Amino acid sequence: MAIEPARAWDDFMAQARARLAPEQPLETRGTLTRLTGLVLEATGIRVPVGSQCQVQMNGQEPVLAEVVGFAGDTAYLMPAGDIHGLSSGASVMPAPAYVPALQLGAAPVEEAGAGVGALLLPMGDGLLGRVVDSQGNPLDHAGPLTQVTAQPMDRSPINAMERDPVREPLDTGVRAINALLTVGRGQRLGLFAGSGVGKSVLLGMMARYTQADVIVVGLIGERGREVKEFVEDILGVQDRGRAVVVAAPADAPPLLRMQGAAYATAIAEHFRDKGQHVLLLMDSLTRYAMAQREIALAIGEPPATKGYPPSCFAKLPALVERSGNGLNGVGSITAFYTVLSEGDDQQDPIADAARAILDGHIVLSRALAESGHYPAIDIEQSASRVMHNVVPRAHFELARGFRAVYSRYQKSRDLIQVGAYMSGSDPQLDEAIRLQPGMTAFLQQSMFEAAPMDDSIAAMGQALEGA
């Protein structure tokens, strides 16, 4: 039933009056005393770590900053904007919380309460189909956000015993993954590769073909041009209405890159808690760790492994563990994180740490990519840790057989190519050589071609039979 115009106006005015006269705590204000590199130091302001503050100079736009540490009476802040023009003596005060725009005729909503300077960002169905930055500001020139509420980013972790185990297979539309690295709904996987091997393209394929109610994409620390390409070329018109894109490109300050990853995860949690199945795609987890490294080193934390301080390895599981199945089987977040292996080194500290906390890893090979083999998935190094729980035994045994034949050929590949192998010496290797062309064709797939689960399993069987 439509709301009467007079009543709608009364509700609108009541909400406006409530916002004009909230209960305000006593204001605390400090002074900027030092600026070194990326870190601002202020005295006289006492707010908790994680609080949002504004640094104000006369005649200039305020600079948003977050409290990342303190020593005695000195607070360390990391800026989220351009610090050009700041000088000693600038005022530092808690930033006002985000307040969604009022909408005439919309049902009144209760905003989540939070402490002074707490980070509140827009959350709700109004984000669907939109592209926003790490602070919830629209980037798509489609007007202000509506049907959203201001929600805190800090959320309590779910009790591990209240999560349902991963038991249901998820169709990703990628033949090699469906057949050999089957994904379960609520699983968390990493795409491991060096730069330029095809991580983003494979991520786009899964965004286009994976079955999900909502898609949340976090583009963290990557090239700025990829944002519009992802929205227009990969998501397209058909999927954009169920997707939310959070963009924090490489030129954003480290604070915003970290905040973007947390915001994308919080949006996925919001829709999961409503009972929906969410696909979370984050590109990349390594850039998130690098942003944390920049902040930690700037405030004086000692480096540990290859320049990464200990806090980096504590932040990674805190972020990743927020995805997965919801409380008592209500809703799920299936997450794919890209992990950049510097110099194609799979023992890179971030890659090694991510592999230990994720439920599987898909490794992309530069040698396969250079030979024109796409997607360049190295099935020998890749694994899905929940596959045995989500597929029938016949499918699992078929995949094991495929891996065994494929691996036998790869181990003798050099001998075969130089002509050192004599046919008939090893009947199993002879069979692997005969099946190799069909198996290689099975593992390749165009980025605009979808491969449903049943078709992928059937094609794997045909490749093993040499059909």
Side-chain angles (χ1 to χ4, degrees):
M1 180 182 296
I3 300 177
E4 297 179 4
R7 181 181 173 187
W9 179 253
D10 290 342
D11 291 341
F12 178 82
M13 292 302 296
Q15 293 181 66
R17 292 190 190 97
R19 289 186 179 182
L20 287 174
E23 294 183 4
Q24 293 286 354
L26 292 176
E27 183 181 88
T28 175
R29 184 186 294 259
T31 303
L32 183 66
T33 58
R34 186 179 182 187
L35 192 161
T36 306
L38 298 175
V39 180
L40 308 177
E41 296 184 13
T43 59
I45 185 168
R46 297 197 176 186
V47 289
V49 172
S51 299
Q52 306 296 300
C53 295
Q54 283 184 343
V55 184
Q56 179 71 61
M57 285 284 295
N58 292 333
Q60 294 188 9
E61 288 292 324
V63 176
L64 187 67
E66 180 177 313
V67 178
V68 295
F70 60 86
D73 293 333
T74 301
Y76 299 133
L77 300 96
M78 186 64 60
D82 186 10
I83 59 176
H84 181 74
L86 290 182
S87 65
S88 178
S91 296
V92 182
M93 66 194 76
Y98 170 82
V99 179
L102 289 178
Q103 188 175 9
L104 184 62
V109 294
E110 292 188 8
E111 305 294 336
V116 176
L119 179 60
L120 300 177
L121 293 179
M123 202 75 65
D125 293 344
L127 289 170
L128 293 174
R130 303 301 300 268
V131 182
V132 296
D133 65 10
S134 301
Q135 298 172 305
N137 301 312
L139 298 176
D140 51 10
H141 305 294
L145 297 175
T146 58
Q147 300 179 14
V148 295
T149 60
Q151 298 289 335
M153 294 298 99
D154 293 332
R155 292 169 177 257
S156 300
I158 296 178
N159 187 328
M161 292 302 295
E162 295 178 352
R163 287 183 186 268
D164 275 5
V166 179
R167 291 288 184 267
E168 181 184 349
L170 181 67
D171 189 349
T172 64
V174 181
R175 190 161 45 239
I177 296 177
N178 280 345
L180 298 165
L181 304 164
T182 311
V183 177
R185 191 178 295 280
Q187 187 178 356
R188 297 157 300 191
L189 279 95
L191 302 182
F192 292 73
S195 57
V197 183
K199 298 186 303 298
S200 299
V201 174
L202 181 57
L203 205 67
M205 291 176 66
M206 290 187 286
R208 188 183 297 114
Y209 304 129
T210 301
Q211 299 172 350
D213 300 323
V214 176
I215 301 171
V216 180
V217 182
L219 300 177
I220 311 301
E222 295 298 319
R223 294 174 288 273
R225 68 168 179 80
E226 290 184 342
V227 177
K228 193 170 185 178
E229 288 181 3
F230 200 100
V231 173
E232 296 183 355
D233 300 340
I234 294 178
L235 288 178
V237 178
Q238 69 278 8
D239 290 321
R240 185 171 178 181
R242 63 182 178 124
V244 184
V245 178
V246 180
D251 60 345
L255 177 67
L256 292 186
R257 279 178 266 148
M258 287 195 65
Q259 189 172 301
Y263 186 29
T265 305
I267 293 172
E269 289 176 314
H270 169 80
F271 288 107
R272 176 191 63 190
D273 294 344
K274 294 174 62 177
Q276 296 179 298
H277 296 299
V278 182
L279 176 66
L280 173 62
L281 307 173
M282 191 169 294
D283 188 11
S284 72
L285 194 64
T286 305
R287 304 300 185 192
Y288 171 81
M290 289 180 172
Q292 170 60 20
R293 177 174 65 178
E294 291 180 43
I295 294 175
L297 293 178
I299 63 176
E301 187 177 348
T305 308
K306 287 193 175 180
Y308 287 97
S311 62
C312 288
F313 302 101
K315 288 280 188 181
L316 288 178
L319 179 73
V320 170
E321 282 296 321
R322 292 168 62 181
S323 56
N325 287 326
L327 282 170
N328 303 316
V330 177
S332 67
I333 301 175
T334 305
F336 291 92
Y337 302 92
T338 65
V339 181
L340 177 65
S341 303
E342 295 185 11
D344 294 330
D345 180 13
Q346 294 301 318
Q347 304 307 315
D348 175 82
I350 297 301
D352 196 45
R355 191 182 299 109
I357 60 178
L358 293 170
D359 301 325
H361 51 277
I362 299 173
V363 179
L364 304 186
S365 165
R366 186 174 298 277
L368 289 175
E370 290 174 348
S371 65
H373 185 293
Y374 287 101
I377 299 175
D378 187 336
I379 63 170
E380 292 181 287
Q381 295 190 57
S382 305
S384 172
R385 296 182 183 175
V386 303
M387 181 176 176
H388 62 284
N389 290 329
V390 300
V391 300
R393 185 173 181 82
H395 177 185
F396 188 72
E397 294 300 330
L398 189 65
R400 285 184 61 186
F402 188 102
R403 281 174 172 271
V405 175
Y406 184 85
S407 179
R408 180 172 291 274
Y409 176 85
Q410 294 299 323
K411 288 178 180 178
S412 304
R413 183 177 179 182
D414 292 341
L415 292 176
I416 298 169
Q417 290 181 338
V418 300
Y421 173 72
M422 299 295 295
S423 179
S425 302
D426 185 345
Q428 291 183 335
L429 182 55
D430 291 340
E431 180 71 2
I433 295 173
R434 183 182 71 85
L435 296 176
Q436 184 60 24
M439 299 176 79
T440 302
F442 165 79
L443 294 173
Q444 297 187 54
Q445 181 178 340
S446 166
M447 66 177 294
F448 299 107
E449 171 194 356
M453 179 74 74
D454 292 341
D455 293 350
S456 301
I457 299 171
M460 178 171 61
Q462 292 175 359
L464 272 179
E465 294 172 359

